[in-house]
Amino acid sequence: MHGLGELEGVVMDALWRSDEPLRVRDVLEGLTGREPAYTTIQTVMDNLHRKGWVERERQGRAFSYRATRSREQATAAAVRELLATSGDPAGVLMHFAKGSSEQESEILARGLRERTAR
């Protein structure tokens, strides 16, 4: 995810996949192929809280964490940021539209219809 470090992205992925808030231990137990230290994940989650990516609630001696926005909302924000820094956002959007699949074109058209209907 744009704007996140590799381990931050892994933690956010775990939070997005969960229907419930997660503790540091929960995230650690869900990682496969990695074995970072508890304190490393704790620091990452604290950093994500400071950056506004997650909210936390104290539960006993630990915090539970929940994403402040969905994966889709975060991705849309990243696309907007990339467009804003591209130098030619209209050109980028046109290039994307011209190269989009039929399914992507239908989704874009539906989104534009919904936007104008508000």
Side-chain angles (χ1 to χ4, degrees):
M1 176 67 56
H2 185 72
L4 295 177
E6 181 184 352
L7 199 48
E8 288 175 328
V10 169
V11 169
M12 287 305 300
D13 185 58
L15 291 169
W16 283 324
R17 284 186 281 113
S18 176
D19 294 330
E20 300 295 324
L22 299 178
R23 297 167 299 147
V24 172
R25 179 76 46 215
D26 300 326
V27 172
L28 269 172
E29 290 172 0
L31 296 180
T32 56
R34 297 176 152 270
E35 294 186 25
Y38 180 96
T39 55
T40 300
I41 297 300
Q42 183 177 35
T43 299
V44 168
M45 294 177 88
D46 286 342
N47 288 341
L48 289 168
H49 177 258
R50 184 178 40 77
K51 292 177 177 182
W53 282 83
V54 300
E55 59 188 16
R56 65 185 180 190
E57 182 179 323
R58 186 171 287 281
Q59 292 184 334
R61 294 177 47 203
F63 285 106
S64 61
Y65 295 82
R66 176 188 310 270
T68 57
R69 55 192 143 188
S70 69
R71 182 188 309 267
E72 294 78 14
Q73 290 168 322
T75 302
V79 170
R80 283 189 194 96
E81 184 180 333
L82 287 170
L83 287 171
T85 60
S86 72
D88 184 12
V92 172
L93 286 172
M94 289 302 293
H95 186 72
F96 178 80
K98 288 177 184 175
S100 65
S101 69
E102 188 64 34
Q103 181 182 17
E104 291 167 339
S105 295
E106 290 172 14
I107 293 168
L108 288 169
R110 186 177 73 225
L112 291 171
R113 283 191 305 274
E114 289 175 7
R115 182 174 182 260
T116 57
R118 338 182 224 160

